[in-house]
Amino acid sequence: GRTLLTLVYGRSYSSHEALLLILAAAAGISTIATFMGFAATSTQSFRAQVPVIVAMTITTLVGAWVLVPRLGLNGAGIALLVSAIVQLAGLTFVTWKAINARRELL
């Protein structure tokens, strides 16, 4: 973490190795959530995705409002991480529900 940040970005970034880990986790979960979004779209669950996006947006806003003043950049990263988790959980639920509804029709 620290060595890589120093080599790539310089010494001023080397003290933010925890933020790098938080953002890497958020990016990984967000990537998986993107695939779940594609799955939800492929089931034509367009309206069901709107509450997920609203919940994700509210989570980001509230998380940033509460955590940034207390934790600074790490707080912003945690807000993004929690938002990505909400997105993944919501889209997984939407996709699961749509798949199960189609199974019942068969």
Side-chain angles (χ1 to χ4, degrees):
R2 185 178 303 266
T3 305
L4 179 64
L5 285 172
T6 303
L7 288 173
V8 175
Y9 297 108
R11 289 186 183 164
S12 61
Y13 286 84
S14 65
S15 62
H16 297 289
E17 62 185 311
L19 179 60
L20 174 65
L21 294 174
I22 293 167
L23 292 177
I29 292 171
S30 183
T31 300
I32 297 167
T34 299
F35 286 113
M36 289 308 297
F38 294 145
T41 299
S42 73
T43 64
Q44 298 182 355
S45 301
F46 305 114
R47 287 187 182 176
Q49 292 181 54
V50 174
V52 175
I53 295 168
V54 170
M56 188 178 83
T57 303
I58 291 170
T59 301
T60 304
L61 289 171
V62 171
W65 184 59
V66 171
L67 296 172
V68 170
R70 295 178 184 170
L71 302 174
L73 289 174
N74 287 344
I78 292 168
L80 289 174
L81 177 61
V82 172
S83 176
I85 292 168
V86 167
Q87 181 186 20
L88 177 59
L91 290 173
T92 300
F93 176 75
V94 166
T95 304
W96 176 79
K97 188 174 177 183
I99 290 171
N100 283 333
R102 291 179 196 260
R103 274 191 197 151
E104 291 176 7
L105 294 175
L106 299 175

